[in-house]
Amino acid sequence: MAKVSAVQKNKRRERLVAKDAAKRAELKAKIKDQDISPEERFEAVMKLAELPRNGSKVRIRNRCELSGRPRGTYRKFKLGRVMLRDLASTGQIPGMVKSSW
């Protein structure tokens, strides 16, 4: 089980990313637009720098939904490898069976 504070910090980041996503996308589009004057582009860069860092999508860590484990997480299931194995062994995940040969 991961630290509760680490899990909560990650959830806070997810909320901040969702809130600032449109504003960030708009500023990034302005920065990439070559038709805008360099001064306007620089202003957009400065506004983007003023936004909180935790509002960036790359700051979110993929974590297991059940245990909070940060590593070995399958994106498709949003579960860590340990929890995925436990749930698959008990038949909780439809279509997934333990391999044997």
Side-chain angles (χ1 to χ4, degrees):
M1 197 71 188
K3 286 173 52 173
V4 177
S5 61
V7 174
Q8 293 302 318
K9 185 186 292 184
N10 203 44
K11 288 183 180 177
R12 194 175 330 120
R13 286 178 178 158
E14 289 173 0
R15 287 192 301 268
L16 197 57
V17 166
K19 187 182 89 170
D20 289 342
K23 194 171 191 177
R24 279 183 175 277
E26 179 186 326
L27 288 171
K28 285 186 177 186
K30 270 189 180 178
I31 292 168
K32 289 183 181 180
D33 189 7
Q34 296 292 324
D35 297 333
I36 298 176
S37 69
E39 292 82 18
E40 289 182 53
R41 290 174 60 200
F42 183 71
E43 284 179 33
V45 169
M46 297 310 290
K47 285 182 182 177
L48 186 64
E50 288 175 4
L51 291 176
R53 287 184 178 175
N54 284 336
S56 178
K57 191 175 180 184
V58 297
R59 302 276 288 211
I60 297 175
R61 185 81 162 124
N62 289 334
R63 288 185 172 269
C64 174
E65 290 289 320
L66 298 177
S67 65
R69 181 180 168 84
R71 297 182 182 197
T73 305
Y74 289 85
R75 290 181 186 171
K76 183 176 182 178
F77 302 106
K78 293 187 179 179
L79 293 172
R81 60 182 177 79
V82 178
M83 298 307 295
L84 184 68
R85 182 183 166 102
D86 288 344
L87 292 174
S89 294
T90 58
Q92 300 286 330
I93 300 175
M96 186 175 280
V97 292
K98 185 178 176 188
S99 64
S100 61
W101 60 87

